[in-house]
Amino acid sequence: MVTDAAHLSSLQGTARLVEEGSSPEAVVEYVRRELVGLLGLRGCRFEYGRLLGDRPRLQHDGGLWLRSGSHITEYADWPDGETELRVVGGGHYYGRFLLDPLPNRPLPPEEARLVAVALAAQAGAALDTAGLSHQG
């Protein structure tokens, strides 16, 4: 079970990397590893600057849903396949973490999902600070 102390440790670790001037790639890799443990994933990968395909998305409020046209599907459990967690920094989209959950698993608690969103935001800030090119 993930505790508040583990949540805080994840956030502090990312902040420390950013403060130390670590490369954005190192921050992204740290966040990727943290997401696997935090959300109980089978795997996770980062994809720079692409928005191909309709995937369920972990939203900033911790909700998980898929928009297809005007239809919205909300999920109480992990959907099949990968779920995206977008990475934005300074108002620019840089990429997304593609979360690969274990099969037939419930979503982690809301607090863990909100920490995941905060970790992705820290990765976005690191990418933005580095002045990397971005997608629209």
Side-chain angles (χ1 to χ4, degrees):
M1 177 176 179
V2 177
T3 64
D4 289 342
H7 292 166
L8 185 58
S9 176
S10 290
L11 293 168
Q12 288 175 323
T14 309
R16 192 169 31 259
L17 286 174
V18 173
E19 288 171 1
E20 293 170 354
S22 297
S23 73
E25 293 80 10
V27 174
V28 166
E29 176 58 20
Y30 178 86
V31 169
R32 187 196 66 74
R33 287 191 317 265
E34 290 296 305
L35 291 172
V36 169
L38 177 68
L39 301 175
L41 302 173
R42 173 176 32 202
C44 176
R45 61 190 173 96
F46 185 76
E47 184 176 82
Y48 284 94
R50 299 176 57 170
L51 285 175
L52 300 176
D54 288 330
R55 296 184 193 271
R57 183 182 316 153
L58 183 58
Q59 298 293 331
H60 292 285
D61 64 359
L64 181 62
W65 51 267
L66 170 66
R67 178 186 305 265
S68 181
S70 62
H71 181 73
I72 296 176
T73 303
E74 287 193 63
Y75 297 94
D77 295 323
W78 286 112
D80 291 335
E82 292 177 317
T83 295
E84 73 175 15
L85 173 56
R86 291 187 175 181
V87 175
V88 176
H92 303 289
Y93 173 76
Y94 286 96
R96 61 187 176 177
F97 288 101
L98 292 167
L99 314 174
D100 183 16
L102 292 165
N104 304 314
R105 296 295 293 252
L107 286 176
E110 180 181 26
E111 296 81 17
R113 296 190 314 264
L114 291 172
V115 170
V117 168
L119 287 169
Q122 287 181 315
L127 290 164
D128 191 61
T129 299
L132 297 181
S133 64
H134 53 81
Q135 301 290 319

